């Protein structure tokens, strides 16, 4: 008997018919002789509606407001968990629904984007041992002072992986509206191929670089706790993609996938004095404003007396970032500031980069052949990212997919 944690996203539980379909999926797993714990998201569109209600009443400028935000927004998952438990009961399957705080899944006090501190799985285990299906409301937990806290974007995925880790589950199945992880977005590249397996590190990079299948936090947790995760579709009965350790993938290609993000904005400052502390002065107010800075390039001018700095921020944070930079304009004394929303980040990802030379050159040549100019470059051990004009995003993705032969995998 294996223990399987199943997670169903908003599109999978969008209405009563689909909730019944989820119950059927659960029944199939039970018929294989396995124990099943299920984690559910809110029904599609419900969370956005609840957030809109809150924002219509409050600008969320205080800790107290965020506390009530969590109280409201977490209700969507609780509704779904109860409905699925009812659907299972109607099929003759004993089921018990849990809100996050009833497990309890313990979090820190960061309302709206809490981190998981631990899971006491005793009651969950008792229910499973009684041959019950456990249905857990994802995206939520309980703070040390007994308040509901939500886990932020992708929180239900994170809930599922955390529960799988706490239970020592054999596998965590993440059901979505796609049937696995592809070499790139198949809506852009017709020849994109589904990957049977992908390494945790690769998936974490792709998630952070724009791939929408899983959120970075859930992948990081799976890697840290060695949870085998399968991404598959609620609407087809075919195998998905397994997230596994790098050594469990027999043959590594040079590049595993192409990720892209149009949610980038670029800020460039010119003629800043090239003296110690100026870069720290620039980024301090951005840190205070909780703005994530991604790609950074510094160019020291001839003679070494001044420097130009370019960096990227999320497009939604551009105005706040510009306001933060304005606060230190007197100290930086830059000559000019340029901001550009019309950029995109395109990245190649693959653990095979560790053992193959010439990867970056192939990437740059493929883009040059399409007359695509690169404005910023950043790298890690298993990825290379470039910033280009947004209008060339799809052309760049197709060119790179072909250059690395990903349609052949």
């Amino acid at each position: 008997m294996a223990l399987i944690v199943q997670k169903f996203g908003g599109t999978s539980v969008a209405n009563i018919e689909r909730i019944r379909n989820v119950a059927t999926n659960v029944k199939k797993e039970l018929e294989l002789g396995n124990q099943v714990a299920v984690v559910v998201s809110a029904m599609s569109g419900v969370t956005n509606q609840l957030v809109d209600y809150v924002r219509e009443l409050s600008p969320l400028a205080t800790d107290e407001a965020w506390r009530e935000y969590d109280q409201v927004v977490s209700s969507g998952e609780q509704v779904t968990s109860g409905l699925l438990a009812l659907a299972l009961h109607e099929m003759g399957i004993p089921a018990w629904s849990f809100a996050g705080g009833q497990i309890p899944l313990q979090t820190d006090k960061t309302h709206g984007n809490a981190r998981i501190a631990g899971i006491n799985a005793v009651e969950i285990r008792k229910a499973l041992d009684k041959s019950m299906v456990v249905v857990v409301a994802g995206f939520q937990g309980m703070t040390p002072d007994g308040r509901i806290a939500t886990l932020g974007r992708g929180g239900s995925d994170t809930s599922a992986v955390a529960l799988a880790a706490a239970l020592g589950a054999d596998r965590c199945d993440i059901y979505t509206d796609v049937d696995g992880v592809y070499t790139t977005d198949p809506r852009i590249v017709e020849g994109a191929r589904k990957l049977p397996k992908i390494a945790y590190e690769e998936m974490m990079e792709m998630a952070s670089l724009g791939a929408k299948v899983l959120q970075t936090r859930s992948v990081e947790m799976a890697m840290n706790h060695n949870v085998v995760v399968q991404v598959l579709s609620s609407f087809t009965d075919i195998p998905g993609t397994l997230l596994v350790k790098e050594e469990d993938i027999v043959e590594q290609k040079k590049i595993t996938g192409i990720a892209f993000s149009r949610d980038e904005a670029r800020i460039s400052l010119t003629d800043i004095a090239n003296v110690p502390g100026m870069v720290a002065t620039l980024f301090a107010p951005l840190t205070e404003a909780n703005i994530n800075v991604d790609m950074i390039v510094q160019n020291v001018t001839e003679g070494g007396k001044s420097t130009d700095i370019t960096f990227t921020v999320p497009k939604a944070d551009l105005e706040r970032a510009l306001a933060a930079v304005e606060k230190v304009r007197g100290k930086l004394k830059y000559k000019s500031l340029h901001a550009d929303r019309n950029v995109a980040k395109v990245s190649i990802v693959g653990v095979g980069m560790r053992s193959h030379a010439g990867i970056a050159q192939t990437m740059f040549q493929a883009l040059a052949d399409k007359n695509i100019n690169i404005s910023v470059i950043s790298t890690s051990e298993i990825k290379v990212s470039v910033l280009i004009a947004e209008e060339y995003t799809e052309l760049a993705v197709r060119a790179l997919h072909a250059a690395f032969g990903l349609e052949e995998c």
Side-chain angles (χ1 to χ4, degrees), residues 280-291:
T281 298
L282 169 60
F283 290 110
L286 295 167
T287 301
E288 292 171 4
N290 198 30
I291 296 171

Side-chain angles (χ1 to χ4, degrees), residues 18-64:
R18 290 189 176 181
I19 288 173
R20 289 194 178 109
N21 182 61
V22 167
T24 300
N25 273 338
V26 173
K27 183 179 180 180
K28 289 178 182 178
E29 198 66 58
L30 292 172
E31 289 172 345
L32 295 174
N34 297 327
Q35 294 178 310
V36 181
V38 186
V39 176
V40 291
S41 297
M43 299 166 77
S44 182
V46 168
T47 299
N48 289 340
Q49 182 63 73
L50 293 171
V51 170
D52 288 344
Y53 287 150
V54 172
R55 292 191 179 278
E56 190 173 341
L57 287 169
S58 169
L60 296 173
T62 64
D63 291 341
E64 291 76 11

Side-chain angles (χ1 to χ4, degrees), residues 103-108 115-120 142 162 166:
I103 298 174
L105 185 152
Q106 298 144 344
T107 74
D108 62 18
R115 308 287 294 190
I116 296 175
I119 296 179
N120 184 339
M142 180 178 289

Side-chain angles (χ1 to χ4, degrees), residues 211 299 362:
N299 296 314
T362 300

Side-chain angles (χ1 to χ4, degrees), residues 59-120:
L60 296 173
T62 64
D63 291 341
E64 291 76 11
W66 278 103
R67 182 188 65 204
E68 301 308 329
Y69 167 96
D70 280 351
Q71 187 77 7
V72 173
V73 174
S74 62
S75 63
E77 283 72 16
Q78 293 175 34
V79 168
T80 312
S81 63
L83 290 174
L84 178 56
L86 285 171
L88 290 165
H89 282 302
E90 291 302 309
M91 296 174 67
I93 299 170
W96 196 354
S97 65
F98 287 81
Q102 291 174 317
I103 298 174
L105 185 152
Q106 298 144 344
T107 74
D108 62 18
K109 293 184 177 181
T110 310
H111 286 286
N113 194 30
R115 308 287 294 190
I116 296 175
I119 296 179
N120 184 339

Side-chain angles (χ1 to χ4, degrees), residues 63-326:
D63 291 341
E64 291 76 11
W66 278 103
R67 182 188 65 204
E68 301 308 329
Y69 167 96
D70 280 351
Q71 187 77 7
V72 173
V73 174
S74 62
S75 63
E77 283 72 16
Q78 293 175 34
V79 168
T80 312
S81 63
L83 290 174
L84 178 56
L86 285 171
L88 290 165
H89 282 302
E90 291 302 309
M91 296 174 67
I93 299 170
W96 196 354
S97 65
F98 287 81
Q102 291 174 317
I103 298 174
L105 185 152
Q106 298 144 344
T107 74
D108 62 18
K109 293 184 177 181
T110 310
H111 286 286
N113 194 30
R115 308 287 294 190
I116 296 175
I119 296 179
N120 184 339
V122 173
E123 295 303 317
I124 297 285
R125 290 185 185 279
K126 286 180 180 178
L128 291 170
D129 290 342
K130 293 177 182 177
S131 299
M132 301 183 74
V133 172
V134 172
V135 185
V136 175
F139 179 61
Q140 62 186 257
M142 180 178 289
T143 66
D145 55 355
R147 300 294 304 187
I148 293 175
T150 61
L151 305 180
R153 187 174 180 182
S156 291
D157 287 352
T158 306
S159 298
V161 174
L163 182 61
L167 293 170
D170 295 272
R171 194 177 68 243
C172 180
D173 289 341
I174 306 289
Y175 287 87
T176 71
D177 53 359
V178 297
D179 61 358
V181 180
Y182 281 71
T183 49
T184 196
D185 190 336
R187 293 170 297 182
I188 290 179
V189 179
E190 186 177 349
R193 294 290 181 263
K194 185 170 67 176
L195 300 165
K197 293 182 180 180
I198 186 171
Y200 293 118
E201 288 181 85
E202 292 174 327
M203 189 67 247
M204 192 153 57
E205 286 281 13
M206 291 187 72
S208 68
L209 294 167
K212 305 297 185 183
V213 179
L214 291 173
Q215 292 297 319
T216 308
R217 283 170 63 182
S218 62
V219 181
E220 181 181 18
M221 182 167 289
M223 182 172 68
N224 290 342
H225 294 278
N226 198 26
V227 176
V228 177
V229 174
Q230 181 177 208
V231 179
L232 66 171
S233 172
S234 300
F235 311 112
T236 60
D237 192 19
I238 58 176
T241 299
L242 286 172
L243 274 64
V244 296
K245 293 183 290 187
E246 181 181 342
E247 53 266 34
D248 292 335
I249 301 177
V250 177
E251 184 179 355
Q252 285 290 350
K253 295 180 72 72
K254 293 180 182 179
I255 295 300
T256 297
I258 313 294
F260 64 93
S261 172
R262 294 186 174 97
D263 299 326
E264 308 289 323
R266 180 182 64 198
I267 298 175
S268 298
L269 305 173
T270 64
D271 283 348
I272 298 173
N274 185 29
V275 297
M278 292 305 263
V279 175
T281 298
L282 169 60
F283 290 110
L286 295 167
T287 301
E288 292 171 4
N290 198 30
I291 296 171
N292 182 46
V293 175
D294 184 16
M295 308 170 84
I296 304 173
V297 172
Q298 181 176 5
N299 296 314
V300 177
T301 57
E302 187 175 355
K305 292 184 179 180
S306 64
T307 184
D308 301 335
I309 299 176
T310 295
F311 59 94
T312 62
V313 298
K315 191 174 292 185
D317 290 335
L318 178 59
E319 298 305 323
R320 292 198 305 122
L322 293 173
V325 172
E326 179 66 24

